[in-house]
Every structure is written in C-alpha cells, then in structure tokens.
Amino acid sequence: MDPSEELSRHGDATPAPIALSAWTDLVQEDLLHANPTAENLRRPVADVQLYDALDDQANVRNAVVLAMGVSCGSVGFERVLVHAADGEAAAVIVKARGTPIEDLRAASSRHDVPVLVVGDDADWTRLIAMARTAVAGAAVDSVSGVRLGDLFAFANAVASIANGAASIVDPSGRILGYSTVPGQPIDDLRRETTLTLQERTPPALDADFKVVYASTDALFVQSPSGIRDRLALAVRAGGELLGSIWIIDPGGERRQPALDALDRLAPLAGLHMLHARSASDFTERRNADLMRTLMDDPAQASFAAAQLGLEFTDGFAIAAFALTHPNTGSLDAMREQHRLLQLVTVTCNVQFRSAYSALIDSVVYALLPCAGESPRAAHRRVIRDIGSYATTISAHPVVAAVGGIAEQIGELPRSRTEAVRTLQYLMHQQSVSRENPTLHPPAAAVFEDYWTELNLLEIGTYIAEKHLGRFDVIDAIRAYDAAHHTDFLITLRAYFDSNASVSTAADRMHVHGNTIRYRITRLAEEFGIDFDNPSTRLWLWLRLVSTDL
C-alpha cells in the first residue's frame, strides 16, 4: 500500500483513546507506575488535564490528571484520587517527593485509580506539552516505526508520504532534520540550507514564515523565480510554536494529497519535535551551568568559556531579561520564560551572529559581544528589539538591562551584578507605574543610564545594614506624619530636591510658598534640623533619596 493511502486510511477514522501503557511509551518520560496491573495498563487515555482543587465538577473521564502542587499523603492528594476515581480518570500523575512507592501503591489500590510518579525535578510545562501531544499524535500511526525525536528519520517518512523533499525548521531558522529520499528533486535553497543547517533569513524576518506561522493548516507557498514552490506546515503543541515543516512541492495531482497528509501529520510532528527538544534540554542545562560559572565563579570562568567556545577578544556585557509576570513560579510564567529565552537567542543570533544565553532563576541572561565602534548602541538596539518582539510571547512586558562592559573574563561577575541591579530598579519602576498610570518608565536600559540612582540605592542599603540612620530624625518625621496626617517628609524631600528654593518646592508640591516656609520652620523647631549646616542637609537628602528610588 502507498504510504499516503495508509495515512489517509488512518486519518479518516475517528481517533480512538490510546491505552495507558502505549501513552506512556509515546511520552517517553520517566513515569513509574505505582500499581502496574494489567487492568491499569489498559485504561484508555483521551485527554490530559491539570487538577484544579476548586473545580470538582471537571470532566476527567479517560483523562490523565496532573496533580501539580499536591503533596503525596496529604488530604489534598486523597481528594485528587477520589475525584479521579469518581470521574473514571485514566490515571493521576504526582511527584513523590520522598513518599515510599508502597504508600503510593496502596493509595492506588484503595481508590482503584492508576498512580504514575514523575521525578521531583521534572518540568511540569514540558510534561504537559508532551502528554497532550502524545494523545493527539497517537492517532497517526503510519510512521510509528520512526523513533520519537529522530527528526531526520521523521523527515524521510514525511518526504515519502508527501512525495517531496522535507526539511524541519525550528523558530530560530535552524534546520533540525531533512530528508534524503533518493530521486526527489531539490533546488539551490534546499542544498544551501541543508549544508549550513540554517535558513538564509531568520523566520522572524521572513514573510513566508510569518504567513505559515499564522495558519493552522498546511499551505502552498509560491517561491520566487529559480526556487521551487513549497508546501509548509507550522508545528505546535499546546499552543506553543515548535517550528515548521517545509516540503518541495510535488505539483499537479500530488499537491493536495500532500497538503492533507501534512495536516494529519501535525500532531505526530509536534510529538517528534517535543522529544527532540527534550533531548536538547541537556545542552540547555549545560549551557546554563556554564553561564552561571562564568558569572559567579572567577576561578572556573576560563574553563567555562572554553567549553562554550567563547573567544574573549573585544569583551562582553551581561544582559538580563525578565517578564513582569505577577507569579513567576506559575505554569504560564515558566512557559513564557522559555519562550523569552528562545526570543533572546534568536535575536542575538540575528544581531551578533552568535548567541550565549541561558535561563537561570526566572531571569534570561545573555552575553552580548562588544565588537565594533559602538557596542553600546548595538546593546541598546538588541534589548529594544527584544522588548518589541516580546508582545508575541507574553501579555506581560519584558524588562531588559545590560551591565557594564567586561574587558576581561574576570570582570563578568561585575557586569552581571550591574545588569541585575539595573533590572531590579527597572522592575520596581514598572511596579510603581502600575499604581500611577501617569508614569511611563523605560523597560530597557544599560547600566550607565541609571548609575547615579543605583549607587544611591547602594548607599541606602549600606545605611540600613549598618543602622546608621538611628541617630537622625527621618524615622521620627515619618512617624509624626503617619500619626498626624501631615506632609513634613514630602516637603523636606521637595525642599532638598529644589536646592532650598521655596518657590521651586512650592511648584513641585502645588502649594503656596508660605506653606513651604511654615513647614520648614516647623521642621527646624520640632525636630531640631539645622538647615544652615551643609553636612546635615547632605545627610538627610541621602537618607531620603536612597530609600525613595
């Protein structure tokens, strides 16, 4: 039977639920069955759901329920199992976190529901995407002999089914796999991209890629003269764009069957790409460890630079990026942080033709090269571009900061500290602006833009740590204002900020000049402030400004 006919035969049928044992094979995660009876392994799986403790009415029939944030052995865990058993769920997935397997087996037997255990360090975001895509991909079995995650073998299978040479591309334009089926025609573009393993133009800047990404179906893409037309499909899992498949158009009567085949292959393509990406997770974690070593451990920094292939000739600057997400530990936030990492990597590749980036503790870090006559202009441009592109990955703005230039490898920790300090300052300003919509603070900056404010904050931190403010009157004035609903502290700050000009301070506070004079007189009398002493004025201004930024 022709492969395309085989695929069509399976695609026309209504997908039946997959057995739990077959589903776990497709997921290929380290899932341990607490009670792997024959009956449990045959349970049908048709959906994957996150457990919601506030929604006991959710339909979980034939669904794998992910008990995220539930402690085994707790009342909450028992509630999950009761809900799953009553709703005829396929299974419940938990993190054991030290709970003996015997206890989990007993709980599984007691409630007559399969319990699967995932490792304590498992990434829920990746597991959910993999689990849901496994359900969808199970219905397409015409290329089931291809090992999951082997994108070169999968490209060969797709090329055979669609009758055209296939390439699989990630969102950054990197070629993840391509077909080598004999006799299928190719062109110069295909030849070049398979040699370089990179598209000529990054997808973010290519009109054809944008059209394909905007569609949920496979498309015919007309190419310029000298280049063969293409068929293309955007590959997604759980709403996340994983990349795309491009087929050299077989033409004629073969075109529409090839487009139909691509559409039916979409779930399986997502499953393969998710597995391929999980295989690359080790590289991502390794890069994060090496980046952390570069920024935190000067003794081992040279080794880390060598492992990354980093040539420290013109210097680098550390850039830090973070989403203003209200809950950085949530599932949505984690997914968006990984998308931000991908965006930073892609943009740095476009700007600098190289990318050294990693996601560490909810912050994406990148090493920005300092080549050329205006490295800071390039740094400003790249963080501005990333901020403008960020609307495609999150509803929450991205804040970006770049530390000072590190001319030697040992200066990278200093650059990282400056980047983080600047990032935290900008994040604080964003938070203040949400309470006061009239403010419009920038979301991206280099360290030099705010070095004065940042250094004043350092002074404030030093004062607080050393308890140096216990001898002055700032806390006493603050307490008086709170008790009597007065504005002496605000007046004092406005007066100092105005270089002791009563009229300027009055304009700042929108009051009459006599009001400022009266309050300054009261401050001198009630709190013993000697406004004629320059040291006193300097100290009190430092105290005010270093705690109010």
Side-chain angles (χ1 to χ4, degrees):
M1 181 177 292
D2 183 84
S4 59
E5 294 177 342
E6 174 73 2
L7 180 64
S8 178
R9 182 172 66 84
H10 289 291
D12 290 341
T14 301
I18 181 177
L20 181 61
S21 59
W23 176 83
T24 56
D25 288 341
L26 281 174
V27 174
Q28 289 189 348
E29 186 69 43
D30 290 331
L31 292 170
L32 174 65
H33 288 262
N35 189 25
T37 65
E39 181 183 354
N40 283 343
L41 295 175
R42 286 195 299 267
R43 293 267 187 132
V45 178
D47 192 13
V48 176
Q49 294 186 17
L50 281 173
Y51 174 69
D52 184 352
L54 301 180
D55 186 8
D56 285 337
Q57 303 304 314
N59 181 10
V60 296
R61 189 170 188 271
N62 293 345
V64 173
V65 179
L66 278 67
M68 188 169 67
V70 177
S71 176
C72 295
S74 66
V75 174
F77 181 53
E78 290 293 316
R79 185 177 176 183
V80 174
L81 295 180
V82 169
H83 179 53
D86 291 346
E88 298 181 7
V92 172
I93 296 182
V94 295
K95 291 186 177 182
R97 302 195 185 281
T99 303
I101 192 65
E102 292 79 8
D103 293 352
L104 294 172
R105 184 177 296 114
S108 174
S109 300
R110 186 167 62 252
H111 294 280
D112 191 26
V113 61
V115 173
L116 308 180
V117 183
V118 69
D120 292 349
D121 59 348
D123 184 340
W124 282 113
T125 305
R126 186 172 67 84
L127 178 60
I128 292 167
M130 198 85 74
R132 286 178 172 163
T133 309
V135 173
V140 185
D141 60 4
S142 62
V143 289
S144 58
V146 177
R147 180 177 60 83
L148 286 171
D150 186 345
L151 295 183
F152 285 89
F154 182 66
N156 275 333
V158 172
S160 297
I161 293 169
N163 292 298
S167 295
I168 302 174
V169 187
D170 76 1
S172 70
R174 191 161 52 98
I175 308 298
L176 302 177
Y178 58 85
S179 64
T180 54
V181 176
Q184 292 187 336
I186 61 173
D187 53 24
D188 288 341
L189 177 61
R190 155 71 185 218
R191 189 174 293 107
E192 177 186 328
T193 55
T194 54
L195 285 174
T196 61
L197 293 181
Q198 188 73 37
E199 289 291 332
R200 283 180 181 172
T201 305
L205 306 177
D206 188 283
D208 289 339
F209 272 93
K210 291 179 181 179
V211 171
V212 172
Y213 288 169
S215 175
T216 57
D217 301 320
L219 298 177
F220 168 72
V221 179
Q222 189 170 10
S223 300
S225 178
I227 301 297
R228 291 178 177 270
D229 296 332
R230 273 10 183 217
L231 310 181
L233 170 74
V235 180
R236 295 179 175 85
E240 178 184 359
L241 178 68
L242 301 178
S244 53
I245 299 176
W246 293 77
I247 308 289
I248 290 184
D249 179 26
E253 296 179 354
R254 291 183 169 185
R255 177 182 297 161
Q256 191 56 51
L259 288 169
D260 294 341
L262 278 177
D263 283 331
R264 287 190 291 270
L265 276 170
L268 191 58
L271 192 58
H272 275 278
M273 293 188 75
L274 279 173
H275 277 287
R277 190 173 69 178
S278 68
S280 68
D281 283 350
F282 170 76
T283 301
E284 182 178 313
R285 290 194 297 270
R286 176 176 177 273
N287 284 346
D289 289 340
L290 292 172
M291 286 280 289
R292 194 191 299 269
T293 301
L294 275 177
M295 297 185 295
D296 293 346
D297 188 356
Q300 301 296 325
S302 296
F303 170 79
Q307 293 297 306
L308 285 169
L310 196 64
E311 296 183 3
F312 217 97
T313 53
D314 299 308
F316 287 87
I318 300 291
F321 305 85
L323 289 161
T324 56
H325 199 290
N327 185 3
T328 57
S330 69
L331 180 65
D332 284 341
M334 289 188 292
R335 182 184 296 113
E336 291 176 359
Q337 287 160 10
H338 281 279
R339 291 174 180 170
L340 177 59
L341 172 62
Q342 187 176 69
L343 174 62
V344 170
T345 302
V346 170
T347 309
C348 288
N349 263 320
V350 172
Q351 175 67 43
F352 303 114
R353 301 299 177 188
S354 65
Y356 303 94
S357 53
L359 174 61
I360 302 173
D361 300 330
S362 301
V363 176
V364 174
Y365 292 96
L367 277 171
L368 305 186
C370 297
E373 296 181 358
S374 304
R376 283 321 235 182
H379 297 168
R380 291 180 189 276
R381 183 166 54 252
V382 77
I383 61 175
R384 184 185 65 241
D385 289 348
I386 289 169
S388 64
Y389 295 148
T391 55
T392 65
I393 65 169
S394 174
H396 305 284
V398 167
V399 176
V402 187
I405 294 175
E407 296 182 354
Q408 304 293 331
I409 195 169
E411 297 175 358
L412 285 174
R414 185 259 304 160
S415 181
R416 190 257 188 109
T417 298
E418 292 169 350
V420 171
R421 287 173 56 200
T422 309
L423 183 73
Q424 291 172 341
Y425 178 77
L426 294 177
M427 294 284 279
H428 174 70
Q429 297 302 311
Q430 291 289 320
S431 176
V432 171
S433 70
R434 286 194 290 272
E435 299 174 1
N436 185 354
T438 62
L439 300 176
H440 301 284
V446 299
F447 174 70
E448 299 93 297
D449 295 338
Y450 293 100
W451 72 270
T452 301
E453 290 87 343
L454 294 169
N455 286 340
L456 286 171
L457 282 172
E458 287 292 290
I459 292 174
T461 301
Y462 180 82
I463 291 172
E465 289 176 349
K466 301 297 183 181
H467 307 289
L468 302 181
R470 66 187 185 277
F471 298 115
D472 62 38
V473 295
I474 295 299
D475 291 338
I477 298 173
R478 184 178 289 111
Y480 186 92
D481 280 343
H484 299 85
H485 306 289
T486 52
D487 292 323
F488 285 123
L489 205 62
I490 296 174
T491 302
L492 188 62
R493 171 69 188 271
Y495 183 68
F496 286 151
D497 286 348
S498 303
N499 290 321
S501 169
V502 171
S503 60
T504 303
D507 289 341
R508 283 174 179 257
M509 297 191 65
H510 306 290
V511 298
H512 195 276
N514 287 338
T515 301
I516 300 296
R517 292 187 182 91
Y518 167 77
R519 291 176 181 175
I520 294 300
T521 300
R522 285 285 309 278
L523 283 165
E525 293 174 350
E526 296 288 338
F527 299 98
I529 299 176
D530 182 1
F531 286 98
D532 294 328
N533 187 325
S535 296
T536 298
R537 294 199 305 272
L538 173 62
W539 173 258
L540 293 179
W541 178 82
L542 280 174
R543 280 275 280 133
L544 289 170
V545 75
S546 63
T547 57
D548 194 36
L549 287 171

